[in-house]
Amino acid sequence: MSVKAEAQLTPWCPFCGMNVGRPTEGTQRKMREFPVGRCECGAVYVSEATGHNIGAAMVECLVSACGDNWDMAWELVPEDDYLTGTIENYDEVTHQVVAKRNLDGRAVRGVLFFVRLHKEMAEVAERLATRQATTLEGETPVAAGAEGGVPLEPAPDPKRVRRRADKRAVAQMAQEGDIDGLVRLCLDDHKVLRFLQRLLYDPDTAARYRIAWLLGQVSGRVAGREPGPVADLLHRLFEACADSAATSWGMVEAIGAIIAARPDIYGAFTRHLFNYMGDPGTREAVLWGLGEIAAVRPQLVRQTPFYSLFPVLGHSDPVLRGLTLRLLGRIGAREAGLQMLPLQHDSSPITIYEQGRPVDTTVAELYAEATRIMHKEKTNGE
């Protein structure tokens, strides 16, 4: 391959060897950061011009290969479902591979990242894309600049001077609840997400919930422009939760808040929250996170084994009972009606968190709210 790289300037597909065309932005923007192209053999590729943002390029390339179906992309397994390849030393300006990494005094560090689905997966992606197009036919299109009904974050001024994130400044902005400022700074420097993650390590429960919700809001808006860094953050949070030697303070809550902020992108992560229900230290966080997701996309929770949550209605901890009621109400789980009934007179006082703020209530009040939602859904459904 090195001989070919030195002799052939036109980029080629690492799977079939054919020359590939210049990747383009496409006629309709679909939350893309990178120009994308498709080889005749079916491989999809994206161009990352700097060589410093390969992770985001990988995510976007895989999602593009899946027909912009995020749920499918997160479920695929490397090697088993798809193959990847890269062409380095790519110059996006001239659409050439420059072996010497320098062209007319200009550094060349770009990368073409390729994904080719195995035949079976490619057929599944095509069927899903066809089904979605059929479903959406005749519907009112989403307003320009929006994806999945979520307003698209305004593009930063390309001529701006990029700012570098400072952990003290981020902490101050988080304390002030300056979500707009954090989003703008994050689009300049992705380290904002890491600095916010560090703020989750707080012994105060209210502070953790507040930062988790704020991190979800910032991540949701950033994902509209750059979904890759937020996907990386989610993976780091899951890894931190799985590390038995580290504390998982605020991690599960943050995962739930991020998914709830952009369920159209990260909804496939919902089912993985159930892995932490068996740990008493994260059980409350799981129920809260699932409740946040259920508030905006209840079907995501109904697609999980939510029946396993019914016994929690009889738990000795009133907070767990209340959060379970909140969750089951939001997904319209009338199947749990009998198990919920004994809680209608449960006056145990509890504190739950809505939009990062503590709300004092009782289990009975949450029962009344849950049954009200269920009754309303049943009336509308009939």
Side-chain angles (χ1 to χ4, degrees), residues 246-265:
T247 178
S248 59
W249 278 351
M251 302 297 171
V252 176
E253 296 95 319
I255 292 172
I258 293 171
I259 297 172
R262 286 311 296 257
D264 55 320
I265 301 178

Side-chain angles (χ1 to χ4, degrees), residues 2-327:
S2 61
V3 174
K4 184 172 186 177
E6 293 173 1
Q8 183 175 342
L9 294 179
T10 303
W12 62 92
C13 175
F15 302 114
C16 68
M18 295 184 62
N19 292 345
V20 295
R22 183 191 296 272
T24 64
E25 297 290 346
T27 56
Q28 182 179 3
R29 187 185 186 280
K30 291 189 177 181
M31 206 180 303
R32 293 195 175 105
E33 297 179 59
F34 310 98
V36 63
R38 181 179 292 271
C39 179
E40 292 182 14
C41 72
V44 174
Y45 54 96
V46 299
S47 169
E48 204 292 291
T50 67
H52 298 305
N53 206 11
I54 303 300
M58 293 169 60
V59 171
E60 188 158 308
C61 190
L62 179 58
V63 173
S64 296
C66 294
D68 294 320
N69 188 314
W70 287 83
D71 287 349
M72 178 181 177
W74 295 131
E75 293 297 320
L76 298 186
V77 178
E79 305 296 334
D80 291 346
D81 298 320
Y82 64 91
L83 300 174
T84 62
T86 56
I87 299 294
E88 298 181 346
N89 307 329
Y90 172 68
D91 180 36
E92 194 172 275
V93 177
T94 62
H95 186 54
Q96 293 180 341
V97 175
V98 182
K100 294 183 179 181
R101 309 187 73 187
N102 188 287
L103 185 63
D104 298 330
R106 176 168 52 83
V108 176
R109 300 290 186 269
V111 174
L112 285 178
F113 187 84
F114 290 75
V115 167
R116 188 170 76 173
L117 301 180
H118 292 329
K119 182 179 179 181
E120 296 79 5
M121 291 297 103
E123 292 173 349
V124 170
E126 184 176 357
R127 287 198 299 270
L128 290 174
T130 302
R131 183 184 306 169
Q132 183 178 13
T134 302
T135 301
L136 294 178
E137 185 176 358
E139 293 184 359
T140 302
V142 176
E147 179 74 19
V150 180
L152 182 64
E153 195 66 23
D157 184 354
K159 298 181 181 179
R160 74 192 186 283
V161 177
R162 288 179 175 267
R163 298 173 297 166
R164 296 187 63 180
D166 174 82
K167 61 182 180 181
R168 292 184 179 178
V170 170
Q172 181 65 30
M173 295 167 75
Q175 179 66 30
E176 297 171 356
D178 186 4
I179 296 176
D180 291 339
L182 287 167
V183 171
R184 289 193 296 269
L185 183 57
C186 190
L187 291 174
D188 281 348
D189 189 345
H190 297 154
K191 288 199 297 291
V192 168
L193 297 178
R194 285 188 177 274
F195 292 150
L196 287 174
Q197 179 183 345
R198 293 176 185 175
L199 295 178
L200 292 169
Y201 294 100
D202 194 310
D204 181 63
T205 301
R208 291 200 304 272
Y209 272 106
R210 182 176 180 277
I211 293 299
W213 179 81
L214 185 143
L215 181 55
Q217 295 300 299
V218 173
S219 298
R221 288 174 57 178
V222 170
R225 284 285 171 188
E226 302 179 6
V230 179
D232 292 340
L233 170 63
L234 278 171
H235 285 293
R236 290 199 305 271
L237 292 172
F238 275 112
E239 289 173 1
C241 293
D243 186 356
S244 59
T247 178
S248 59
W249 278 351
M251 302 297 171
V252 176
E253 296 95 319
I255 292 172
I258 293 171
I259 297 172
R262 286 311 296 257
D264 55 320
I265 301 178
Y266 307 113
F269 285 105
T270 301
R271 62 174 60 89
H272 301 302
L273 285 173
F274 279 82
N275 295 335
Y276 308 106
M277 273 300 294
D279 184 351
T282 55
R283 197 169 292 154
E284 176 183 330
V286 171
L287 291 171
W288 181 85
L290 290 173
E292 293 293 291
I293 298 168
V296 293
R297 192 69 67 86
Q299 193 59 30
L300 283 175
V301 180
R302 290 198 65 89
Q303 292 171 352
T304 66
F306 69 92
Y307 287 90
S308 63
L309 301 177
F310 290 3
V312 185
L313 292 169
H315 198 279
S316 59
D317 187 344
V319 173
L320 297 184
R321 298 198 300 270
L323 287 173
T324 305
L325 285 169
R326 171 179 177 258
L327 168 61

